[in-house]
Amino acid sequence: MTNEELERRAREVRKGIIIGTHAAKSGHPGGSLSSADIMTYLYFEEMDIDPKDPRKADRDHFVLSKGHCAPGLYRSPCREGLLPQDRP
């Protein structure tokens, strides 16, 4: 994936973070927005995850201990097709 494609996906993830936290009327978007590039790179470029086989035994796992980044953690797998996405 090119840098331009990664940047476009990171913008989509950021958009989803803002839409999601606004719709929920809750959350801390700052932490998620600041980590969007990192999570986009991991999910779309680095990690071994197959949306067609999300329960693959040897897939990569990502553990996030920064709770205020949960909206970003949710939006990145949505864009990868690993979680349902009911909003843009």
Side-chain angles (χ1 to χ4, degrees), residues 9-85:
R9 288 194 183 219
R11 281 192 303 271
E12 292 171 1
V13 167
R14 284 188 187 90
K15 180 181 173 184
I17 290 165
I18 291 168
I19 289 170
T21 54
H22 180 266
K25 295 179 178 47
S26 178
H28 301 273
S32 294
L33 292 171
S34 70
S35 62
D37 289 323
I38 295 167
M39 287 190 274
T40 298
Y41 178 78
L42 289 173
Y43 273 99
F44 295 102
E45 194 67 24
E46 190 65 32
M47 293 174 64
D48 181 17
I49 301 173
D50 184 0
K52 295 177 184 128
D53 187 14
R55 297 184 187 268
K56 186 174 140 183
D58 62 342
R59 74 182 191 278
D60 288 337
H61 296 268
F62 179 63
V63 177
L64 178 70
S65 63
K66 187 177 176 183
H68 284 176
C69 290
L73 179 61
Y74 177 75
R75 296 312 296 185
S76 299
C78 283
R79 290 284 175 202
E80 181 65 17
L82 295 168
L83 294 172
Q85 179 177 309

